[in-house]
Amino acid sequence: MKKIGIITISRTNNYGAELQAYALQRKLRNLGYDAELIDYLYYKHKNHKPTSLSQPVLKLDTKSKLKNFLMYRVVSPLIEGSSVFSAAIKNRKKNFYRFHANGNTSYSKDQYRSYEELCKMSLEYDIYMVGSDQVWNPGTGTSLSPYFLDFAPNDKLKVTYASSFGVSQIPESLHAKYRDFFNNLDIIGVREKQGVALVEQLSGKQAQQVLDPTLLLSKDDWSRVINGGNMNSLPKGDYILLYKLHESDELVKKAYELKQKFNCEIYNICKRAYANKKIDGIHNIEDAGPSEFIALFQNAKFVLTTSFHGTAFSVNFNIPFFAVLRPNKANNSRITDFLEMLNLSDRIVWEDGESDNGQLSENINFSEANRLLNESRNDSMGYLQRILNAEYK
């Protein structure tokens, strides 16, 4: 049995990151492979150790360095390490821990707190794989080298699945650096259509667009990770679900319109457990873990979201939704490309209101979208099979 080591973003107290990491290793395991996540701590994790080798590709100015230090080494550990600020912090940490501890996520035996620790270890995988999320974003505050598998043995297969730049352009000053990065990879799969073009532009190599790993699992697959013992705290009956990564007046406006139309409550999944804005008529859910996140989407009557994964789960579960986007935002392509692929571009609401379709449809005919999603899922599985069946170097 081939052993696969996956490096991606995880252990970040972020729903999308945890669920995409889980989904890829789960799909590989379902296919009969011994797949696990290489437990390399992302730079935002309180136990990550920044070193001289973990400098970002875009040099940070003094102000940005100080901001990152205060945010990730002082403020976040202080707040999240204490239940004094909010009981929701303690409950949220417990729910995230429970999701991983229940056997949903398989991590490597050793944990790597620094880039140097990762490079020094003798890892024994047949295939090294970069997972999904914005692992190649030049604005990331740490080295991108681990996410181009420079630590992996040269005689092993090095591949990527649904990896993302998170931006539509790479500064010209970094083109040579990215070309060197991509020369280290054997087979490349990216999440966005723009990513395919960027890989070719930067390296001359071919890349295949594949689905985010959360979309490789069906609604029934996701139902198996719901923690039944903790569902009593979730909303009952019909409700409108909000999941926003930034404040949006347009999203709140739509939520109020839907509440009047459907005569039901509004619940908001908060991206953190503290310092959340309270909005009249909207119930904040601050302590949900990944399992609760899935259950909230599965049972929603309507979803309003600014998030890619919020959009992806709405589609996968066939829940009527609107994706509310800011014009000219750098990473809109991950949502617009996805919805265009499924002929669901009419579900986009722009925050400037200019392109608003004005139709708050209670129902969406998902038949065509499901067919197109299944086609893309088959293509993505074909890509995975090509990786898994590739000859060793």
Side-chain angles (χ1 to χ4, degrees), residues 221-236:
D221 291 329
W222 282 114
S223 294
R224 297 186 183 99
V225 308
I226 292 177
N227 173 26
N230 200 39
M231 294 301 110
N232 289 334
S233 62
L234 298 183
K236 304 296 187 296

Side-chain angles (χ1 to χ4, degrees), residues 246-279:
H246 61 263
E247 293 302 324
S248 169
D249 292 339
E250 187 66 28
L251 184 144
V252 172
K253 173 187 171 185
K254 292 297 181 191
Y256 285 146
E257 292 176 13
L258 285 166
K259 179 177 182 177
Q260 185 174 14
K261 181 173 183 177
F262 299 144
N263 191 29
C264 61
E265 296 298 309
I266 305 171
Y267 288 87
N268 173 47
I269 303 178
C270 299
K271 66 178 183 178
R272 57 178 176 265
Y274 57 90
N276 293 300
K277 183 178 179 180
K278 298 185 186 303
I279 303 175

Side-chain angles (χ1 to χ4, degrees), residues 5-133:
I6 305 164
I7 186 165
T8 187
I9 299 171
S10 184
R11 298 195 188 276
T12 60
N13 194 21
N14 175 284
Y15 298 111
E18 304 309 322
L19 292 168
Q20 62 82 20
Y22 159 79
L24 182 55
Q25 63 93 27
R26 172 50 54 194
K27 191 63 182 181
L28 291 169
R29 289 195 156 215
N30 288 349
L31 291 171
Y33 295 87
D34 183 5
E36 66 182 19
L37 298 172
I38 298 171
D39 200 0
Y40 173 64
L41 297 183
Y42 195 51
Y43 80 102
K44 293 182 180 181
H45 193 284
K46 66 178 182 179
N47 292 330
H48 174 83
K49 294 194 296 187
T51 64
S52 59
L53 291 183
S54 61
Q55 299 305 305
V57 294
L58 285 176
K59 188 175 180 180
L60 298 177
D61 57 27
T62 302
K63 182 178 179 181
S64 297
K65 287 181 181 178
L66 179 60
K67 180 181 177 182
N68 280 354
F69 175 79
L70 291 174
M71 176 61 72
Y72 304 124
R73 302 289 163 264
V74 180
V75 178
S76 290
L78 177 64
I79 293 177
E80 296 191 11
S82 172
S83 59
V84 173
F85 294 94
S86 171
I89 295 174
K90 182 178 180 179
N91 291 335
R92 183 183 174 105
K93 287 177 63 177
K94 185 187 300 182
N95 287 333
F96 270 80
Y97 175 80
R98 184 188 291 116
F99 174 77
H100 294 301
N102 281 350
N104 287 326
T105 313
S106 177
Y107 284 102
S108 58
K109 175 175 62 71
D110 295 315
Q111 184 175 88
Y112 311 102
R113 298 176 60 189
S114 71
Y115 182 28
E116 279 82 347
E117 287 182 13
L118 181 65
C119 292
K120 288 176 182 176
M121 293 303 295
S122 298
L123 303 175
E124 298 181 353
Y125 299 106
D126 299 306
I127 300 175
Y128 290 77
M129 183 180 294
V130 183
S132 186
D133 224 323

Side-chain angles (χ1 to χ4, degrees), residues 133-360:
D133 224 323
Q134 297 181 40
V135 290
W136 298 337
N137 192 322
T140 300
T142 189
S143 172
L144 299 182
S145 295
Y147 305 104
F148 286 94
L149 300 173
D150 70 332
F151 63 90
N154 289 329
D155 62 341
K156 296 298 183 180
L157 196 65
K158 301 177 186 180
V159 301
T160 80
Y161 183 85
S163 305
S164 175
F165 292 92
V167 294
S168 57
Q169 295 181 25
I170 300 297
E172 191 170 349
S173 60
L174 296 179
H175 283 199
K177 182 70 172 176
Y178 272 84
R179 182 168 59 251
D180 291 341
F181 280 150
F182 281 111
N183 284 338
N184 194 48
L185 301 176
D186 299 307
I187 307 175
I188 304 169
V190 297
R191 192 172 66 184
E192 287 91 28
K193 181 171 62 177
Q194 287 184 341
V196 175
L198 273 175
V199 170
E200 184 172 2
Q201 175 194 5
L202 295 168
S203 69
K205 291 190 172 188
Q206 298 297 309
Q208 180 173 332
Q209 184 183 6
V210 291
L211 285 176
D212 184 89
T214 61
L215 293 160
L216 295 179
L217 302 181
S218 67
K219 181 177 180 178
D220 288 341
D221 291 329
W222 282 114
S223 294
R224 297 186 183 99
V225 308
I226 292 177
N227 173 26
N230 200 39
M231 294 301 110
N232 289 334
S233 62
L234 298 183
K236 304 296 187 296
D238 290 340
Y239 58 87
I240 299 152
L241 183 66
L242 313 185
Y243 180 50
K244 49 191 173 69
L245 302 183
H246 61 263
E247 293 302 324
S248 169
D249 292 339
E250 187 66 28
L251 184 144
V252 172
K253 173 187 171 185
K254 292 297 181 191
Y256 285 146
E257 292 176 13
L258 285 166
K259 179 177 182 177
Q260 185 174 14
K261 181 173 183 177
F262 299 144
N263 191 29
C264 61
E265 296 298 309
I266 305 171
Y267 288 87
N268 173 47
I269 303 178
C270 299
K271 66 178 183 178
R272 57 178 176 265
Y274 57 90
N276 293 300
K277 183 178 179 180
K278 298 185 186 303
I279 303 175
D280 186 45
I282 298 177
H283 308 283
N284 283 342
I285 299 176
E286 298 181 317
D287 59 358
S291 292
E292 293 76 26
F293 180 93
I294 296 300
L296 285 162
F297 272 86
Q298 279 199 348
N299 297 319
K301 184 175 183 63
F302 202 103
V303 170
L304 291 164
T305 185
T306 66
S307 153
F308 169 79
H309 282 107
T311 304
F313 278 106
S314 299
V315 172
N316 207 5
F317 298 163
N318 284 189
I319 306 298
F321 72 97
F322 277 120
V324 183
L325 306 183
R326 287 176 175 171
N328 303 318
K329 196 169 186 288
N331 60 356
N332 278 340
S333 62
R334 56 184 178 160
I335 297 178
T336 57
D337 284 0
F338 175 59
L339 294 179
E340 181 183 355
M341 178 184 74
L342 301 179
N343 287 339
L344 289 174
S345 295
D346 61 338
R347 307 313 296 178
I348 296 173
V349 171
W350 296 101
E351 290 191 7
D352 61 8
E354 291 182 6
S355 302
D356 184 2
N357 58 33
Q359 297 298 314
L360 290 172

